[in-house]
Amino acid sequence: SGPAASVKGDVDDDGELSYNDALLVLRASIGLETLTEDQEALGNVDGDALLSYNDALKILLASIGMEEL
């Protein structure tokens, strides 16, 4: 898989956006989770160079149809 084959924001690569993707990004942004480079690329949805709570929020909102990634 990897970013080219995966859905933007789908950090756990299960084929859909969910709260789990947002949780992984949030945990990684505060050092509680280690992500692969591919996962970081998928999780960095706001276009800056960092994984942050903002990425997690955007993924969470997208998972319930309130945001487009």
Side-chain angles (χ1 to χ4, degrees), residues 3-63:
S6 298
V7 176
K8 189 175 188 178
D10 183 17
V11 179
D12 64 6
D13 202 25
D14 68 354
E16 62 185 21
L17 293 179
S18 69
Y19 71 90
N20 194 53
D21 299 304
L23 182 60
L24 283 170
V25 169
L26 187 60
R27 288 177 53 86
S29 75
I30 59 172
L32 295 178
E33 193 81 41
T34 302
L35 302 180
T36 66
E37 284 185 34
D38 285 347
Q39 287 176 309
E40 286 188 18
L42 289 168
N44 185 15
V45 296
D46 66 2
D48 66 8
L50 307 171
L51 280 183
S52 68
Y53 72 91
N54 193 49
D55 296 302
L57 179 60
K58 286 180 173 288
I59 292 168
L60 185 60
L61 289 173
S63 77

